[in-house]
Amino acid sequence: MASDAVQGHVTPADSVSVELDAVSMSFETGEATLTAIKSVTGSIPEGRFISVIGPSGCGKSTLLDLICGLQRPTSGSVRIAGEPVKGARRDTAMVFQGDSTLHWRTVRDNVAFGLEIAGVAKPERLARAQEMIRLVGLAGFEDFRPRQLSGGMRQRVAIARALAMSPRILLMDEPFGSLDQQTRWVIGEELTRIWESTRNSVLFVTHDVHEAVLLSDEVWVMSNRPSTLKARIRIDLPRPRPSGIIRDARFTEYTGALWDLLAPELTRDTAAAAAHP
Ligand code: ADP
Ligand code: MG
């Protein structure tokens, strides 16, 4: 398994890759300084699907916030296509944790929302929304409101809204976290199919090691706080990956190795880390 560790990437200068260089992020919480992320260095080459796993509260959402420009690191740098990230970018989109649909808007207007904010003219944004609605399998539901949909369908709406922006970089924060196992599986397969046609870069946070191996080219394992990038594991399984692949010896070797890396982080105490960053 050690030979699967990623030793660094050679990236063409003009590609839209994400580069994290010694990124640290601390929060002032009254008396103490809480260091969420400590000196994370890594890159997301264009077109790669990378999953991030790590214990709850280790800084996975914070990492995504830093890449999409919602927060600035305490130290270190986040660069996209060689430029420091200073705020929201048109080539980056996020699917947030939990249900982020706008309940008063129809499916169509939810999917078109980002384009509307970006000032895209109405005929163009509605045409684009329709295309994305079809892509995520929601054709026929354009005039429905989120509360008339299942949890899985609402997540498809959120994914379609992000994809409508044609992002080069798609950040997904436990997008299937609230869904049952079977629905996760189905939407995961859909996401793979879509990604194979768009080939954007994806950073996908999940707590499910099986999902991480099934979907990804590479899995990042974060340690407990203060979080470092403990390991980067290349998933060298051919695509497409049918559901039966979970019985493949190599699949179970990957999930076992990831679990071995993750398990000690779940029980390690963080109290001292919070008090003495
Ligand atoms: P994860 O997504 O891995 O569960 P988060 O990135 O949400 O973790 O949070 C990492 C740590 O940073 C947590 O301990 C959280 O409480 C803390 N944290 C996140 N945002 C803030 C904030 N704005 N102020 C103070 N602490 C924060
Ligand atoms: Mg989170």
Side-chain angles (χ1 to χ4, degrees):
M1 192 55 64
S3 62
D4 290 312
V6 177
Q7 299 298 330
H9 307 288
V10 178
T11 315
D14 60 345
S15 80
V16 184
S17 63
V18 180
E19 278 138 34
L20 306 166
D21 185 13
V23 171
S24 296
M25 186 66 179
S26 299
F27 299 103
E28 297 304 327
T29 56
E31 299 282 292
T33 300
L34 185 146
T35 301
I37 296 174
K38 192 173 173 184
S39 201
V40 166
T41 295
S43 65
I44 309 168
E46 180 154 21
R48 190 159 300 181
F49 196 122
I50 298 178
S51 286
V52 180
I53 59 173
S56 179
C58 76
K60 302 180 295 298
S61 297
T62 301
L63 185 67
L64 264 52
D65 283 356
L66 294 171
I67 295 170
C68 81
L70 284 173
Q71 300 197 66
R72 303 283 293 277
T74 312
S75 62
S77 73
V78 180
R79 291 171 175 269
I80 296 179
E83 298 165 17
V85 174
K86 295 193 180 126
R89 294 171 55 105
R90 268 305 299 268
D91 54 7
T92 308
M94 173 97 104
V95 177
F96 290 95
Q97 202 165 357
D99 180 7
S100 62
T101 54
L102 307 168
H103 63 84
W104 62 93
R105 284 182 160 234
T106 62
V107 166
R108 181 186 295 108
D109 289 344
N110 261 282
V111 175
F113 181 69
L115 296 169
E116 191 179 325
I117 297 294
V120 175
K122 191 167 182 179
E124 192 186 331
R125 70 178 187 248
L126 291 183
R128 179 85 183 137
Q130 191 60 47
E131 199 183 322
M132 293 303 113
I133 287 167
R134 247 199 320 274
L135 192 65
V136 299
L138 286 177
F141 294 92
E142 292 83 354
D143 294 312
F144 281 53
R145 287 196 160 67
R147 65 173 56 121
Q148 297 171 288
L149 305 176
S150 68
M153 292 162 94
R154 283 201 291 271
Q155 280 316 94
R156 287 188 175 97
V157 172
I159 292 168
R161 182 170 61 204
L163 290 172
M165 307 299 289
S166 306
R168 298 306 312 144
I169 299 151
L170 181 60
L171 305 166
M172 306 184 85
D173 195 357
E174 301 196 43
F176 310 150
S178 60
L179 306 178
D180 64 82
Q181 180 92 50
Q182 287 153 28
T183 308
R184 295 176 81 102
W185 206 260
V186 172
I187 302 193
E189 284 203 331
E190 283 172 9
L191 180 64
T192 304
R193 177 177 52 76
I194 292 167
W195 171 77
E196 279 172 355
S197 65
T198 58
R199 284 286 166 173
N200 45 11
S201 313
V202 180
L203 197 62
F204 179 94
V205 176
T206 178
H207 56 257
D208 184 329
V209 294
H210 289 84
E211 192 168 74
V213 174
L214 190 70
L215 299 179
S216 312
D217 298 318
E218 189 177 321
V219 182
W220 291 3
V221 184
M222 290 179 76
S223 73
N224 207 342
R225 280 202 327 266
S227 294
T228 56
L229 196 48
K230 184 175 181 178
R232 295 193 283 162
I233 305 295
R234 190 66 180 265
I235 307 298
D236 204 6
L237 295 172
R239 297 181 184 269
R241 299 174 182 166
S243 56
I245 201 169
I246 61 171
R247 286 191 301 274
D248 190 304
R250 285 174 306 163
F251 189 93
T252 50
E253 196 182 327
Y254 281 124
T255 53
L258 289 172
W259 183 247
D260 286 345
L261 286 162
L262 185 59
E265 305 303 326
L266 303 176
T267 47
R268 198 157 61 78
D269 189 17
T270 57
H276 305 289

